[in-house]
Structure formats: structure tokens, C-alpha cells
Amino acid sequence: MTETRDDVYRSRVSEKCEIAERQDPTARASTDGPLDGSEIESFATDGFLVKEQLLGASEVRSLVKEAERIRRNARDVEAAGVVKEPGGETVRSIFRVHRNEVFKTLACQEPRVVDPIRQLLDSDVYIHQSRVNFKPAFDGKEFYWHSDFETWHVEDGMPRMRAISVAINLTESNEFNGPLMVIPRSHLKYVRCAGATPEDHYKDSLRKQEYGVPSRDALEELTREERIRAAKGPPGSALFFECNVMHGSAGNLSPFPRIGLFIVYNSVENRLVEPFGGIRPRPVFLAEREVMPV
Amino acid sequence: MTETRDDVYRSRVSEKCEIAERQDPTARASTDGPLDGSEIESFATDGFLVKEQLLGASEVRSLVKEAERIRRNARDVEAAGVVKEPGGETVRSIFRVHRNEVFKTLACQEPRVVDPIRQLLDSDVYIHQSRVNFKPAFDGKEFYWHSDFETWHVEDGMPRMRAISVAINLTESNEFNGPLMVIPRSHLKYVRCAGATPEDHYKDSLRKQEYGVPSRDALEELTREERIRAAKGPPGSALFFECNVMHGSAGNLSPFPRIGLFIVYNSVENRLVEPFGGIRPRPVFLAEREVMPV
């Protein structure tokens, strides 16, 4: 990677945050898949799609049980894929859960999860990242607004916007426990963030962000004509969202813990190259570099 | 004040947080006032009462204008009644606004504000505390769960539960900008918090609480059969809430700042004595010691 490489999604190269236009189609959807025309249209327009009941209650119970089990095992170790709360020992995220047998089956083989993604991206896909997020009751911390793609492009070398995440609520997500919030239509713009990216930045950024942060002006612009939407719903509800959707979540002051499963799929035609930020690639638990189609 | 004074609402005297019973009536309401029987009943049962449109749009605009004006004037001074965000210079609260001409008229003379309070407390009242809270967009900080009465009793010497606050939304309060949250029926219990109270504790507690904090067990108990309620509503909407209601507010990650006006009325029959926590009284901007009936 050199500074001269032509990069339509350059970011963190200026002192000023700027809003640019998206350079990729918002949906390449084929007709071959479970989503109907209006769902595809809705995803292309808003950048996300809500599925009120993607998984059933008993499926979710098994996943919660496994998530709790690996959290207990993770608590006392400083494993690479385990991220703790800022200033605490509480486990906030466990990454690369698609290497776990229980989550792997869901992430790699479950048609309700994989087929909509394949359809929307109109290609085979592989798992770029997966994680379980735990937002503890009473002091679950906020996660500030960001576009995943901005980070994946600058820090991991994802070339184009051709990835989709599915966020599955493993517990009820309500207005009080810091639900995932998205800004509709924000995926149509690209916010070039200010500043540079230090090496090994990820070690802190997963706890608290300082780089790749959109300016307040940019966020005000993105929300000027859009109402924020929260991914509220019962256990098993899910949100499919495009990799460039601006999203975040508030803290959790409520007595209700929140557990969310995130699986990110990238098109096999969009495999990672050298990071565009000129840094060395982040560890594979954050960005798989091996393409294994699901 | 001595440690031997009999205190039904003792708190911060043990290492353990405990839930006790309320020792005061929940409503002494007279029939002489603007509230009807069902509203009085609702306040007595839940501990709060929502008024969707207490003030009109033009009234609110005047109040916002004045609030912004005094905030601008307050920003650069370390005035006693001005509290800033933890770790920042952003003004979070301005106290004793009932000494300001504009807010004084509302707080002392406006029947829509004062009459329900007088009716619910069945006595003349005076202003114990008043403030404007600013919860800035994008980084407004949370305020953890607490009972006002617990603090007012321990730190200010308010003898009994015979005070009521009115919280008036001066801007729209929605699920995204950290609305005031209350736990219904929590005023029927009294949470004796763990720990002691250091002198001059208030200087930090207004920024970030460490004392007078209910335990997680206590909060779980209070919310076991109750759904949290948020004081959402348009500008001019208001929440009357009893002094012992457990309440708090989450951070504000949204682009919508929130401004709230709080006025606390105490019964003239419940005037302050020496603080029950054995400390010297807090400054008058936090707790008026002079009883001036409105």
C-alpha cells in the first residue's frame, strides 16, 4: 500500500471531516432468494431491513446459553478476541464466534441468516467478522456513531461497500437497554473522518473510539431529514444492515442486560487487500483475511 | 444533629444497601385544586403524573431563550450554581433559577405549575431547589438512578417525604436524547444506601455520583414487576414526581440536545433541619433553607 494508491473511500487523511457520495450500488440483489421486491427496495433505500422474528425462542435460548458459557470462560483471560468494558473487567465483546461450533452452524449454514445476505449482495459470501456483544445492566457503555465500512476500509483493507451485517437480538432490545441505533439512508453518503490512524489503534478503539469518528456536523447533516431508528424487538428479532450505515448505541442504565450477536458477511468478490490507512492489518479475529465461502 | 437522633429514613450508615418501607402518606391531596380524583389516585399509586401539555409553545420558547442566555453567561464562570459535565467545560446544570426573573414568575406564580403541587401536598409550599438541566447532543452524560429524597434527607436535612418536583421539557424529550426515566411505585419503598457521606461531597456528586447510590439488587427489586417509564413528550410537557421516586437518565448520543427545567417544592410544614447524615448543610443553591411560601 502506498499513499498514492487511488482511493475513492479515503478517510483520516485530512484535518477536516467531509461528507462524500457513495461510489457503489446500494443493492445488487438477484431475484433468487427469500426477500421480496419491497424488502430489497427497502434495504436499498434505507440501508437496513428489520426481521421481527428471524429466530425462534428455543433457538435463541441455545445461543444465549452458549454465549453465557463462553463469556464465563473468557472472563479471566486476556484472549485476543475478548474485549472488556473501559476501566473494568466486564466482558463486552467476544469475537470470532463463528469458530465456535454452535455459532458456526448458525452463521455458515442457516438459510434464514445467510440467504438474504447472498441475495442482497448477489454473490457468494464469507464471514469477515463475528462477535457477541454483551451490554450489561446498569452500566453498559455507549458505542459512539460510526460506519463499520470506514474502519474496515482504512484499517482492514476492505475495498468496496459490498458487505452486510446481521445483528440478532439474543435478549429483548428495548428503548432502555441501549439498543442498536441506525440513521436511515446514511449508507448513501460516505463520511471521510478527520485525523490519522495510529498503529495498533484497535486495542483501544474497541473499548472507546477516538479515530474514525464522524464529526458532529456530519451527524447533524445525516440526521437532518431522517429520524434515528432503534433495533428494538424480542429475542430472535434481527436487523440486516449495510456496511456503511451510520450506527451506534447508548449506554444501558436499565436492569435489563442486552446480548447481541453480530455476523458480518463480505462478498467473495470484495476480498481484503492492504489496509487503505497505510497501517499493518488488524488481527484476524477482527477481520478474517482468508476467504472461506459459507 | 447527633448519631442517636431517631431517624426513620436513616441511610448511608451501613455497609449494606437495604429496602425499607415508606413512612409517610403518598398523597394528602385536598379536593381543592385542579387535579381530579383519578389524577390524584394515579400520583399516589405510581409516584408521578404526566401532563402532556403543561405549557404552550410560545411560553416554552421564552423559557428556552432565557435558559440559553443564562447558560452563555454562565459558561466562563465557576459560579456556585453552575455545574459542568464530568471532564469537560460544558454547562450541565444551572441551579437556583427561581431567583431569575423569568423563571421566578413561572415557579412562584404560575397556577398550572404550583396549584397541582399545593393540592397534592395539601399545604403551602416553598421552593427547595430549582435548576435547568442541559443534556447536550452527542455527549450528554448519564445520571444514575437515585431518590432525590435520600440525598435531601441525608445531606440537606429534609425530615419527611413531603416534597414534589415538576420536570418540564423545554425541548422535545424522546427515546434517543436521554429522557428522564422513573420507576413506577418506587416511592413506596425507601432504599437505605450503603456507605457514608464525605464532607463537601456535593461538589463531585452533581457531576458523578458515588454516594447515595442504590445497589443493583435494590434496583432489580424495584423493577421486578414494574416497567420503567420515560418522560417523553413535546416541549411544554411535564412530569410531576414525588420526592422519593427512583429516577435517572441515560446519556444522549443523539443530535437532539435536551433542556429540562426542574422545580422542587417542599411543604412549609416540612422545613429543613440539620442534615441527617451528620455533615454540614449543602449550599443554599442546592437546598434553600429560608422558607418563602410561593
Side-chain angles (χ1 to χ4, degrees), chain B residues 115-164:
Chain B
D115 287 354
I117 306 257
R118 261 197 289 254
Q119 184 182 10
L120 288 167
L121 292 174
D122 193 21
S123 83
D124 280 333
V125 297
Y126 72 99
I127 295 174
H128 170 68
Q129 186 195 88
S130 68
R131 66 184 189 278
V132 176
N133 281 355
F134 299 90
K135 184 161 283 209
F138 299 117
D139 69 353
K141 299 298 180 293
E142 67 176 42
F143 214 94
Y144 198 69
W145 299 104
H146 65 286
S147 150
D148 287 333
F149 176 78
E150 196 271 352
T151 298
W152 298 339
H153 184 71
V154 172
E155 302 192 20
D156 299 332
M158 183 181 285
R160 309 295 296 211
M161 295 176 184
R162 206 171 171 190
I164 293 174

Side-chain angles (χ1 to χ4, degrees), chain A residues 73-92:
Chain A
N73 290 347
R75 194 168 294 168
D76 299 323
V77 296
E78 284 290 344
V82 175
V83 177
K84 300 185 177 174
E85 288 281 348
E89 283 304 295
T90 312
V91 171
R92 175 174 181 151

Side-chain angles (χ1 to χ4, degrees), chain B residues 232-281:
Chain B
K232 294 177 289 189
S237 58
L239 184 83
F240 290 87
F241 65 106
E242 209 274 340
C243 61
N244 187 45
V245 166
M246 197 62 76
H247 62 288
S249 65
N252 180 11
L253 225 68
S254 83
F256 322 115
R258 187 166 75 77
I259 307 178
L261 168 64
F262 287 75
I263 312 166
V264 185
Y265 298 89
N266 189 24
S267 166
V268 296
E269 297 163 15
N270 194 37
R271 59 177 61 201
L272 302 190
V273 296
E274 290 290 299
F276 288 79
I279 56 171
R280 64 170 170 268

Side-chain angles (χ1 to χ4, degrees), chain A:
Chain A
M1 140 80 212
T2 66
E3 295 279 335
T4 56
R5 181 165 57 164
D6 186 32
D7 178 10
V8 293
Y9 293 127
R10 67 185 180 280
S11 183
R12 311 188 203 176
V13 293
S14 158
E15 286 178 19
K16 202 159 154 276
C17 181
E18 283 180 345
I19 301 185
E21 293 300 314
R22 180 190 180 96
Q23 300 292 322
D24 288 296
T26 53
R28 317 178 186 235
S30 74
T31 50
D32 182 19
L35 303 180
D36 63 29
S38 73
E39 289 175 311
I40 292 168
E41 178 66 22
S42 171
F43 182 88
T45 305
D46 293 333
F48 60 87
L49 194 61
V50 176
K51 285 284 181 184
E52 280 298 334
Q53 196 172 17
L54 187 72
L55 302 181
S58 71
E59 292 172 290
V60 172
R61 273 194 298 274
S62 304
L63 296 172
V64 168
K65 201 173 157 191
E66 184 64 6
E68 296 286 8
R69 191 189 67 76
I70 60 179
R71 174 162 65 163
R72 275 195 304 277
N73 290 347
R75 194 168 294 168
D76 299 323
V77 296
E78 284 290 344
V82 175
V83 177
K84 300 185 177 174
E85 288 281 348
E89 283 304 295
T90 312
V91 171
R92 175 174 181 151
S93 301
I94 299 175
F95 281 83
R96 224 184 191 191
V97 291
H98 62 282
R99 300 284 177 129
N100 163 290
E101 280 308 315
V102 174
F103 290 105
K104 184 183 186 173
T105 306
L106 182 83
C108 297
Q109 293 171 27
E110 176 49 55
R112 286 167 295 172
V113 174
V114 182
D115 286 355
I117 307 255
R118 261 197 290 252
Q119 184 181 9
L120 288 167
L121 293 174
D122 193 22
S123 83
D124 280 333
V125 297
Y126 72 99
I127 295 174
H128 169 68
Q129 186 195 89
S130 68
R131 66 186 189 276
V132 176
N133 280 354
F134 300 89
K135 184 161 284 209
F138 300 116
D139 68 353
K141 299 297 181 292
E142 68 176 42
F143 214 95
Y144 198 69
W145 299 105
H146 64 287
S147 150
D148 287 333
F149 176 78
E150 195 272 352
T151 297
W152 298 339
H153 184 70
V154 172
E155 302 192 21
D156 300 332
M158 183 181 285
R160 309 294 297 211
M161 294 176 185
R162 205 171 172 190
I164 293 174
S165 295
V166 59
I168 304 175
N169 291 318
L170 297 188
T171 52
E172 183 190 281
S173 183
N174 59 45
E175 69 182 278
F176 300 115
N177 63 358
L180 179 64
M181 303 184 292
V182 293
I183 301 176
R185 300 170 62 86
S186 57
H187 68 310
L188 303 177
K189 303 290 179 182
Y190 179 65
V191 179
R192 301 191 201 281
C193 299
T197 312
E199 290 284 350
D200 290 343
H201 147 61
Y202 72 90
K203 287 179 185 168
D204 295 318
S205 78
L206 298 171
R207 289 172 168 238
K208 189 158 171 36
Q209 293 162 290
E210 291 174 33
Y211 305 95
V213 177
S215 70
R216 296 180 181 196
D217 284 351
L219 291 169
E220 276 172 1
E221 180 64 30
L222 294 179
T223 52
R224 198 174 306 284
E225 293 183 4
E226 300 295 336
R227 291 292 284 188
I228 294 167
R229 286 276 300 275
K232 295 177 289 190
S237 58
L239 183 84
F240 290 88
F241 64 106
E242 209 275 339
C243 61
N244 187 45
V245 166
M246 197 61 77
H247 62 287
S249 65
N252 180 11
L253 224 67
S254 83
F256 322 115
R258 188 166 75 76
I259 307 178
L261 168 63
F262 287 74
I263 312 166
V264 185
Y265 298 89
N266 189 24
S267 166
V268 296
E269 297 164 14
N270 194 37
R271 59 179 61 201
L272 303 190
V273 297
E274 290 290 299
F276 289 79
I279 56 171
R280 63 171 170 268
R282 298 192 300 172
V284 291
F285 78 87
L286 292 173
E288 293 283 358
R289 304 197 77 84
E290 197 182 340
V291 173
M292 291 178 293
V294 298

